[in-house]
Amino acid sequence: MAASTTTTTTTTAAAAADAEMMELAIAQAHLSDPIQEAYCVGAVLALVDRATGGSPTVLTTGYSRELPGNTHAEECCLIKLTAEQRAVLDGLGGNAAAAADKEAVMYTTMEPCGLRLSGKLPCADRILDAKFISRVVVAIREPANFVEKCTGAQSLAAAGVKVDFLPEFAARAKEPFKHLQVVDAKED
């Protein structure tokens, strides 16, 4: 049976928190320098307290090409973690009790890549390698401009990471790369 991803419907507090974080991810995407060979994507890595349902705590933000080396938004979020933040998050990955109360969530305007034409490690693999991210919230699937069928969400779901799509943010998530003629992604 194939792993699945979902279009999510959640509680009012959780939906408001997801919307707040996706707004921040979209703002990050607008910081990307537009180029013809790549998308402009934004991401936010947040710690969500499941017990209180309050606003997520932003750990890091990132956007396409923010750091040297043709970096992706999710990659930048992971690179920018401090040692102290990483220690807390690493504790979630191996501590069932801590993970029951808190979870690390990656919010991204575009599906994490499953293949990088540059040969660098794909963002889906980086998220899995981190071991502490239990949920990824996405605005849109990766368009088929550069990779015909992105498998990032599928890879994450197959490994047990919950992947939720927020289609209400799709149009706004595409605005930062309006300089490209977008080829819509193929659905599963």
Side-chain angles (χ1 to χ4, degrees):
M1 177 181 223
S4 65
T5 56
T6 60
T7 299
T8 190
T9 53
T10 58
T11 65
T12 303
D18 285 352
E20 176 187 358
M21 293 297 102
M22 189 56 71
E23 292 287 351
L24 181 54
I26 289 169
Q28 288 295 301
H30 281 284
L31 298 175
S32 303
D33 287 329
I35 62 172
Q36 288 301 312
E37 302 81 27
Y39 304 109
C40 297
V41 177
V44 176
L45 181 58
L47 191 60
V48 176
D49 188 333
R50 295 183 200 191
T52 66
S55 289
T57 301
V58 174
L59 299 172
T60 58
T61 59
Y63 58 89
S64 301
R65 298 166 301 286
E66 176 182 8
L67 300 174
N70 188 31
T71 53
H72 285 195
E74 302 92 335
E75 178 182 11
C76 290
C77 283
L78 293 169
I79 290 170
K80 290 164 55 177
L81 283 170
T82 65
E84 181 179 292
Q85 290 170 324
R86 191 168 287 280
V88 168
L89 293 170
D90 285 343
L92 294 179
N95 183 335
D101 290 336
K102 296 187 184 298
E103 73 176 331
V105 180
M106 180 72 76
Y107 294 87
T108 181
T109 59
M110 184 181 293
E111 174 181 12
C113 62
L115 170 72
R116 289 188 68 172
L117 299 177
S118 66
K120 290 181 75 174
L121 188 66
C123 292
D125 291 346
R126 289 177 189 280
I127 289 168
L128 293 174
D129 288 350
K131 298 191 183 347
F132 50 72
I133 298 172
S134 60
R135 181 171 175 242
V136 177
V137 180
V138 181
I140 61 170
R141 291 196 178 276
E142 181 178 343
N145 290 49
F146 307 113
V147 174
E148 187 174 332
K149 178 154 181 10
C150 181
T151 59
Q154 182 180 2
S155 296
L156 292 168
V161 175
K162 183 173 171 62
V163 179
D164 291 319
F165 284 84
L166 302 179
E168 63 271 27
F169 288 95
R172 294 196 37 238
K174 291 178 182 177
E175 287 174 4
F177 55 89
K178 63 186 174 196
H179 63 284
L180 298 174
Q181 192 167 17
V182 174
V183 177
D184 287 332
K186 295 181 180 177
E187 293 292 325
D188 295 333

